[in-house]
Amino acid sequence: MKLRVRLFVITAVLILAVIISHASVGTTQTYIVLYRDNAVVADATSAIAQAGGTLAYSYSPIGVVIATSDDPSFPSKLRAANSAVVGAAATAAFGIQLREEANSDTSQPAPTVGTPAPGNDNLSGLQWDMVQIHSPEARAINGGSPSVVVGDIDTGLDYLHPDLAPNVDFANSVGCVGGVPVSNPVAWIDDNGHGTHTAGTIAAAKNTIGIVGVAPNVKIAAIKTANAGGFFYPEAVVCAFMWAGTHHIQVTNNSYFADPWLFNCRNDPQQRAIWEAERRAIRFAMQNGTVVVSAMGNFSDDLAHPTQDVISPDDSTTVPRAIRNDCAVVPVEVPGVIGVGANGNLQLKSFYSNYGLGVTDVIAPGGDSILQRTAAAANGRVLSTWPSYEPCTRQVVDSGAKYCYLQGTSMASPHVAGIAALIVSAGIPVPSAVAARIITTSDPIACPDVSIYAPFPSVSNGAPQVCDGGTAYNSFNGFGQVNALRALTN
């Protein structure tokens, strides 16, 4: 697997490296410019030019502009000349990489009711994850509606994969690398594999071959956010959510975090500008009908009690820093986002999965190759679609199509995005109502004996993993494991 983007995939050994790309003085950099009152001023183009920059793209509804400049003093010049600018941050230092195994119309028609998708495909017997959340029973009732679109904010999509091709939404797919939306399929082809894997869990077609996704009748839109070098920049995150909101994409899956610092601290001027721009874009999407589902991350961290970040930055020397609750992970800790932890085939939290009271909403199968290998899950991982042209260490081939086993909260999140799509297909389009249905129909799971996690302390501070709360809600499992059947029938 190519090592290209900050993804929530994890190998059997929990080793993650963040590599930050710093632009040198005098080279052209990309900036996020943040304006007051969610409004871009009328003379933004000329003001940016006078400060030594060029306006690349304007996201007027949220008061964010993407600009470029080769003048290192551009941010200070722009802020000095224009009081409407509250922040301007270069994004080069906010691109990250992990080592791991145009406007649409503003109407939003009601989705047509989904149709059943009963039965199995050739590799369904390997999908322990789907059995665990009662997905086969759910899609026998409602396999989703083709009028419902899930935007997979990820590394792109192999739109020729035979298990995905029937459901690819070309009109709503986009490349967001650089912060400027490009609809040409060349801009959103998957050059990593991760996006194709998450897409298959959401919406692999019921077509006799390979696997079946949670919602095999819905459409999947690729929203590519990683460049060819494997870097995931904030301007791409803003672009992705603005695209989802303006195109009224009903659900987005987010299997990544969007800052080179594991925790994004709002008391830092640069990080605050990035955080606020991303938060505005996510809020815009939700206000326009988008359900936002996000992976929790793979550092065994308690996100509710962060104390130290020893992972970032990794531009040559990692600098440990003390952090507090004003430091957050994007997008999972943005208000309104559904936070998803990972578990394995024994329905225990995966050894690597982040957790936290107030952050974990639900848990879903992400795999666990160390603590939870079973007869059904022989290698502990989750099987899904994979590009034919990308290598995979643990692959299965069916009818010429490639499938790959991976594990991580990246694999858990798309299960929940698929269930959200089924709920929307059943006639519940409001994001808050969809989230409530997912939460209230989950199966509660009590805290486990945490002694099994002793070999896997927090990567950030070395603290042992501790599960807080009761069966109804706790830091490991949230409100419980998602249940696709109950989400449709309760």
Side-chain angles (χ1 to χ4, degrees), residues 24-388:
S24 60
V25 174
T27 59
T28 299
Q29 298 193 63
T30 299
Y31 292 85
I32 281 185
V33 180
L34 192 69
Y35 289 84
R36 298 185 191 280
D37 303 323
N38 290 358
V40 176
V41 297
D43 64 344
T45 300
S46 60
I48 288 171
Q50 290 172 10
T54 301
L55 191 152
Y57 206 82
S58 175
Y59 293 103
S60 297
I62 63 169
V64 172
V65 159
I66 309 301
T68 60
S69 178
D70 59 6
D71 183 349
S73 62
F74 168 74
S76 58
K77 288 180 178 178
L78 184 60
R79 288 193 299 269
N82 194 332
S83 61
V85 173
V86 294
T91 65
F94 292 83
I96 43 71
Q97 182 180 57
L98 289 193
R99 291 178 184 167
E100 52 179 18
E101 206 186 73
N103 298 329
S104 64
D105 65 81
T106 57
S107 63
Q108 186 177 12
T112 58
V113 176
T115 56
N120 294 315
D121 283 353
N122 291 344
L123 300 181
S124 293
L126 301 177
Q127 292 186 277
W128 61 268
D129 52 312
M130 297 297 177
V131 174
Q132 190 160 302
I133 63 169
H134 303 282
S135 180
E137 302 100 304
R139 58 181 169 78
I141 298 171
N142 186 339
S145 167
S147 65
V148 172
V149 181
V150 179
D152 200 19
I153 300 178
D154 214 298
T155 66
L157 185 70
D158 176 11
Y159 51 79
L160 296 178
H161 194 291
D163 236 354
L164 297 175
N167 291 334
V168 176
D169 186 336
F170 281 80
N172 285 308
S173 292
V174 69
C176 271
V177 174
V180 178
V182 180
S183 298
N184 190 314
V186 173
W188 48 268
I189 188 66
D190 188 3
D191 52 5
N192 179 280
H194 186 273
T196 298
H197 195 281
T198 54
T201 297
I202 298 166
K206 173 65 187 71
N207 58 356
T208 75
I209 69 167
I211 65 167
V212 186
V214 175
N217 295 341
V218 305
K219 295 299 183 181
I220 190 84
I223 304 179
K224 182 179 173 65
T225 53
N227 68 11
F231 291 94
F232 192 91
Y233 292 99
E235 63 267 30
V237 177
V238 171
C239 170
F241 283 105
M242 293 304 294
W243 179 270
T246 55
H247 287 72
H248 302 290
I249 291 173
Q250 290 99 331
V251 181
T252 62
N253 179 67
N254 301 269
S255 293
Y256 59 89
F257 61 102
D259 191 77
W261 302 90
L262 174 59
F263 294 92
N264 188 350
C265 298
R266 294 185 291 278
N267 59 0
D268 176 275
Q270 269 204 318
Q271 291 183 40
R272 183 170 61 247
I274 298 294
W275 157 264
E276 177 62 15
E278 291 169 340
R279 186 193 66 82
R280 288 184 187 181
I282 293 169
R283 183 178 62 185
F284 175 85
M286 291 190 291
Q287 289 173 339
N288 281 274
T290 302
V291 179
V292 181
V293 180
S294 178
M296 291 279 293
N298 302 329
F299 297 99
S300 307
D301 278 345
D302 182 352
L303 298 184
H305 301 97
T307 60
Q308 185 175 222
D309 181 0
V310 298
I311 296 169
S312 47
D314 192 13
D315 53 353
S316 61
T317 303
T318 298
V319 181
R321 60 173 181 157
I323 56 174
R324 302 173 301 182
N325 279 331
D326 62 352
C327 302
V329 178
V330 178
V332 70
E333 292 193 86
V334 173
V337 173
I338 301 172
V340 184
N343 67 8
N345 194 221
L346 297 178
Q347 300 187 48
L348 299 169
K349 187 189 79 68
S350 302
F351 70 91
Y352 53 79
S353 180
N354 286 352
Y355 58 97
L357 289 176
V359 186
T360 309
D361 289 306
V362 290
I363 200 164
D368 186 334
S369 63
I370 295 181
L371 300 177
Q372 301 182 67
R373 292 191 180 203
T374 66
N379 64 25
R381 295 170 171 83
V382 174
L383 185 69
S384 191
T385 47
W386 195 254
S388 61

